[in-house]
Amino acid sequence: MSDFQRKLFQRKLKDAEKALGFDFSEESEESGEQVTVYPKWSEFYDLNEVYTDDKGNQFNTYFTPPKNDKSPVFIFHHGAGSSGLSFALLSRTIREQMSKENRSNDDPVAGVFSFDARGHGQTEIVSNPNDFSLKAFTDDFIWVLKELIKRHTLKNSIFAFGHSLGGSIVTNAFAQLEDAGIKGVGMFDIVEDIAIYALDSMGTYLKNLPKTFNTLEDAISWHIKLGHVKNRESALISIPSYFKKNVKTGKFEWIMDLHKTEDYWHDWFTGLSKKFVDLSTSKLLILAGTDNLDKELMIGQMQGKYQLVVFQDTGHFLQEDTPSKTAITIIDFWRRNDNRQVIIKSTWGSKK
Amino acid sequence: MLDLDKAIQLLKECKHISEQDVHELCIKAQELLIKEANIQIVDTPVTICGDIHGQLHDLLTLFKSSGDCPNARYLFLGDFVDRGFYSLESFLLLLCLKVRYPDRVTLIRGNHESRQITTVYGFYDECIRKYGSANVWRYCCEVFDYLALGALVGGEGGVFCVHGGLSPDIEGINQIKLIDRKQEVPHEGAMCDLLWSDPDNVKRWSISPRGAGYLFGKNEVDQFLYKNNISLIARAHQLVMEGYKEMFNGGLVTVWSAPNYCYRCGNVAAVLTIDDNLNRDYKIFEAVLQDASAIPSKKPATDYFL
């Protein structure tokens, strides 16, 4: 029996008990909490370092170094309300996939890096902690990336990917990062016009968001039930990192209160599509569901300015729902666009 | 029995034709297309048209402005389907005209004439919506596999026509004749490149940002024109806001025939007529449907921006 099935069974049993007039809910909830074994970050990454900047801000990072100099390093930035561990399963899948494809010992296996952005996960911001502007996120990202390169003396090709708001941040950062060796930028499921359109209903969405969950399992089930994450394997590592336990009440509260970011929502996305299309590097856009592009992205795509990939069988958190497909797409994107790898052979002039 | 003239009339009115008629039409089209070479030889005068993408009403405008078929001769450079709301009617209309007037209509394959692409960009869903099953989509995809890969207009010194562009594996037009084209568009290789590549201001063959095909520059175009004794490469595949764009001292032109692409891009469209003396005449036309807000679009989920 899988954990999930067992949970379901336990819940049914509990309902049946209630119907019969028994109520053991407190005890069974307690023991239920103990049954689920949540995976640890160390099952996905080699290192969990805290990067402290000169203002005293502490960024929680996850990193597995690249196998060798010819391996790329993939950097991931999560979206609003999420955390670095949203990329845990994808990161491991990428490395497994590349190792599988290796023929010799010095073949490349990518380094993978993600971190918790300000206000999220275990990152602690002490200077202007309530500044959630695109500029603040972008400055953080640039600092963290440069710190990563310095600490681990990386000389590898770097590809940066962002999910949702994270896509906007990596796009915004690229212009200032051309010297950091970034060879490509990718955005996961973010289209400016559609994001801005979705903002109208965000107020209602946040109002209906449960403030607390009794258990982490409840939080995970809630996310899965609403389709925010469809893949339980990923949810087990990502969702718990969005919550902290209130020692007084024993309940689980969101670490990131999205209400605090409301003033910045438009700032996050305005002008994104044009900025992305105009980037002077290789670009990848992966969308979930449909090819719902706005005008700028549509023109850019039909002029061949970037690569568009649509995953039809996934929700918004595509890196979590379909880690294998996302991994393969990212590896292909790296292979095509890392100029250390690519030699174009032409047969022209061979028959003279 | 399929009545072609009646089907043409119905399709022009954007009306339904029976699944059986679609099947019969597709079989007839295959019988015709199987006899065509990978590179079709086309006489002048001819009007060359770029991407249509299911914009039936704009296709009808095109015929109105450049002359009805069979009075005028047409060459379509592919991408008949996807994105627009009338991919099926547009493609079937072109197919009817092809079967009815084989010498007056030439259809070549675009990168969207593919099973894989049409399942993502709308044509598959449209067929399911309009016919309740995937049969019609399947019949059309069979036809896609038989479409020619290019055309040569006007003989020596004439125009080489292809959907995308050149390939580092294809130096001479004769080499294209060796390709076994009756297959789904491959992910790489000569056939893929012809349907996917783009011209650009590059000094040599370069990686295409699209993820398929290559970028080629003036050097490659000059060599290709010289070696194949032609004066122009006419291709489509890239949206041009002004409808058409000549590059490399007039050695290559991009022709785009879907005005206000996908009901939101605000571009005009163009066709190129090549006369008996190989003179080029561009005709610009505008979209019938200008208002994007009238188009229903899928509403995003509320968690979208998180």
Side-chain angles (χ1 to χ4, degrees):
Chain A
M1 211 190 282
S2 72
D3 277 349
F4 184 64
Q5 284 170 314
R6 187 162 52 230
K7 280 277 154 198
L8 241 133
F9 179 70
Q10 284 177 345
R11 191 148 306 152
K12 273 187 188 157
L13 195 68
K14 215 170 16 175
D15 289 346
E17 284 163 350
K18 260 186 203 156
L20 291 168
F22 307 118
D23 191 359
F24 306 121
S25 59
E26 283 229 300
E27 291 88 339
S28 52
E29 198 65 66
E30 279 291 327
S31 61
E33 182 57 21
Q34 283 157 7
V35 193
T36 307
V37 181
Y38 294 101
K40 294 199 174 64
W41 66 266
S42 52
E43 293 171 42
F44 302 90
Y45 297 98
D46 286 357
L47 303 168
N48 175 210
E49 297 175 312
V50 174
Y51 293 2
T52 308
D53 69 11
D54 53 12
K55 289 167 224 140
N57 298 318
Q58 298 185 316
F59 292 94
N60 182 49
T61 72
Y62 302 97
F63 183 45
T64 304
K67 185 170 150 196
N68 47 33
D69 281 353
K70 60 182 177 180
S71 307
V73 175
F74 299 140
I75 312 285
F76 299 104
H77 197 303
H78 64 81
S82 183
S83 89
L85 291 176
S86 178
F87 298 100
L89 186 56
L90 172 69
S91 296
R92 192 173 72 188
T93 309
I94 287 172
R95 289 181 56 85
E96 283 168 357
Q97 178 69 28
M98 289 181 81
S99 306
K100 219 168 26 182
E101 290 171 12
N102 278 0
R103 298 234 170 79
S104 79
N105 242 347
D106 60 339
D107 277 353
V109 178
V112 284
F113 176 88
S114 73
F115 73 107
D116 298 337
R118 56 173 51 227
H120 295 77
Q122 306 196 28
T123 283
E124 296 290 342
I125 299 295
V126 289
S127 70
N128 289 327
N130 286 320
D131 181 359
F132 294 110
S133 62
L134 182 60
K135 184 180 184 307
F137 280 118
T138 307
D139 290 348
D140 290 349
F141 175 67
I142 291 172
W143 183 82
V144 167
L145 181 61
K146 289 191 168 159
E147 179 67 15
L148 164 76
I149 293 169
K150 198 169 75 188
R151 269 180 194 233
H152 295 279
T153 51
L154 297 177
K155 294 182 184 73
N156 309 60
S157 298
I158 289 174
F159 287 75
F161 304 90
H163 173 240
S164 214
L165 166 63
S168 185
I169 293 164
V170 297
T171 295
N172 198 43
F174 175 78
Q176 304 163 54
L177 274 175
E178 279 180 82
D179 58 333
I182 293 202
K183 295 279 163 59
V185 167
M187 301 205 296
F188 299 166
D189 207 32
I190 185 70
V191 171
E192 175 183 344
D193 279 9
I194 296 163
I196 288 175
Y197 178 86
L199 291 180
D200 292 343
S201 50
M202 271 321 286
T204 327
Y205 172 79
L206 289 183
K207 215 164 37 187
N208 295 330
L209 206 64
K211 295 259 178 314
T212 59
F213 291 96
N214 289 333
T215 65
L216 285 177
E217 180 55 40
D218 285 353
I220 290 169
S221 305
W222 180 84
H223 277 87
I224 291 177
K225 203 174 113 195
L226 267 74
H228 293 322
V229 179
K230 298 176 199 288
N231 180 0
R232 188 173 161 84
E233 190 189 0
S234 182
L236 285 176
I237 179 70
S238 65
I239 307 290
S241 68
Y242 306 170
F243 295 92
K244 57 174 187 277
K245 193 169 187 172
N246 184 319
V247 282
K248 280 186 207 141
T249 63
K251 298 195 173 192
F252 290 88
E253 297 171 351
W254 299 88
I255 291 172
M256 180 62 178
D257 177 8
L258 286 167
H259 285 105
K260 288 194 290 193
T261 65
E262 191 166 349
D263 290 348
Y264 300 100
W265 290 349
H266 280 87
D267 167 58
W268 288 352
F269 302 112
T270 304
L272 171 60
S273 291
K274 184 167 172 23
K275 222 187 293 174
F276 178 72
V277 171
D278 289 347
L279 288 185
S280 63
T281 186
S282 335
K283 293 162 294 247
L284 170 69
L285 176 63
I286 309 182
L287 295 183
T290 59
D291 64 318
N292 220 341
L293 299 175
D294 58 25
K295 180 179 168 178
E296 291 287 345
L297 287 175
M298 186 70 83
I299 293 175
Q301 195 231 346
M302 290 317 281
Q303 293 183 338
K305 300 269 180 68
Y306 64 93
Q307 184 179 357
L308 174 65
V309 177
V310 180
F311 293 167
Q312 294 177 291
D313 50 353
T314 172
H316 180 53
F317 282 79
L318 56 93
Q319 70 274 20
E320 300 202 39
D321 291 351
T322 49
S324 299
K325 247 163 71 169
T326 311
I328 289 166
T329 306
I330 286 173
I331 296 166
D332 281 351
F333 178 68
W334 156 67
R335 282 226 176 85
R336 278 183 67 82
N337 294 295
D338 189 344
N339 53 15
R340 298 183 201 182
Q341 295 284 324
V342 180
I343 302 148
I344 300 171
K345 286 184 192 133
S346 170
T347 58
W348 285 31
S350 58
K351 282 187 284 183
K352 269 181 184 163
Chain B
M1 257 310 261
L2 170 68
D3 178 343
L4 277 174
D5 287 329
K6 198 177 144 204
I8 289 170
Q9 198 47 47
L10 283 172
L11 288 166
K12 282 184 173 173
E13 291 163 18
C14 202
K15 286 184 180 149
H16 194 81
I17 64 170
S18 75
E19 186 176 318
Q20 205 184 337
D21 280 352
V22 176
H23 187 228
E24 205 179 318
L25 173 66
C26 289
I27 297 290
K28 285 205 163 114
Q30 280 175 51
E31 286 167 1
L32 200 63
L33 292 169
I34 197 168
K35 290 182 218 142
E36 293 195 344
N38 284 352
I39 299 296
Q40 271 296 96
I41 304 297
V42 177
D43 286 339
T44 52
V46 61
T47 298
I48 300 170
C49 313
D51 293 27
I52 301 297
H53 284 300
Q55 297 184 201
L56 178 74
H57 301 90
D58 300 316
L59 176 60
L60 297 176
T61 305
L62 185 159
F63 283 130
K64 229 171 268 165
S65 79
S66 292
D68 235 337
C69 192
N71 298 330
R73 188 186 284 116
Y74 283 98
L75 165 57
F76 286 88
L77 300 178
D79 277 16
F80 317 113
V81 298
D82 281 342
R83 286 263 166 78
F85 292 111
Y86 307 99
S87 287
L88 189 60
E89 291 81 359
S90 304
F91 180 60
L92 293 179
L93 174 60
L94 291 172
L95 218 51
C96 281
L97 292 169
K98 172 71 190 173
V99 174
R100 180 76 176 81
Y101 312 108
D103 299 332
R104 308 298 286 175
V105 179
T106 305
L107 307 176
I108 66 174
R109 192 170 190 175
N111 62 311
H112 278 263
E113 274 70 57
S114 125
R115 286 166 189 79
Q116 210 194 343
I117 299 284
T118 51
T119 48
V120 176
Y121 294 100
F123 181 51
Y124 174 83
D125 291 335
E126 185 187 323
C127 291
I128 298 279
R129 206 164 55 238
K130 288 175 179 169
Y131 283 83
S133 85
N135 291 344
V136 164
W137 173 77
R138 236 174 257 127
Y139 304 149
C140 291
C141 290
E142 291 287 315
V143 178
F144 294 163
D145 288 343
Y146 287 89
L147 290 168
L149 302 178
L152 198 53
V153 170
E156 271 189 21
V159 185
F160 172 66
C161 304
V162 67
H163 179 72
L166 302 181
S167 165
D169 293 335
I170 301 287
E171 195 176 9
I173 293 172
N174 279 336
Q175 290 171 269
I176 301 175
K177 294 175 183 164
L178 303 174
I179 298 173
D180 177 13
R181 75 169 191 264
K182 288 166 210 79
Q183 54 169 323
E184 172 77 349
V185 182
H187 289 278
E188 52 188 23
M191 180 167 159
C192 167
D193 300 341
L194 293 170
L195 272 57
W196 278 94
S197 292
D198 291 317
D200 201 31
N201 292 316
V202 287
K203 288 205 169 67
R204 59 189 73 83
W205 292 106
S206 304
I207 293 297
S208 166
R210 289 180 189 266
Y214 292 93
L215 298 179
F216 55 94
K218 187 173 186 300
N219 283 337
E220 286 71 38
V221 168
D222 286 346
Q223 278 185 58
F224 192 85
L225 294 175
Y226 176 76
K227 279 183 182 145
N228 293 286
N229 192 16
I230 48 171
S231 57
L232 175 67
I233 297 167
R235 45 87 65 175
H237 195 42
Q238 276 178 303
L239 170 58
V240 183
M241 298 304 281
E242 301 78 21
Y244 73 94
K245 183 181 171 190
E246 289 195 353
M247 292 171 83
F248 311 140
N249 295 334
L252 177 142
V253 65
T254 301
V255 180
W256 181 266
S257 305
N260 193 28
Y261 175 60
C262 209
Y263 318 106
R264 73 191 76 168
C265 289
N267 59 292
V268 297
V271 294
L272 162 62
T273 302
I274 304 286
D275 72 12
D276 292 340
N277 299 315
L278 299 177
N279 293 314
R280 308 171 192 179
D281 178 34
Y282 296 100
K283 197 169 271 173
I284 304 287
F285 63 102
E286 289 183 11
V288 179
L289 215 56
Q290 291 288 358
D291 186 10
S293 63
I295 309 299
S297 73
K298 278 200 179 165
K299 286 201 171 83
T302 43
D303 64 331
Y304 187 84
F305 93 128
L306 296 175

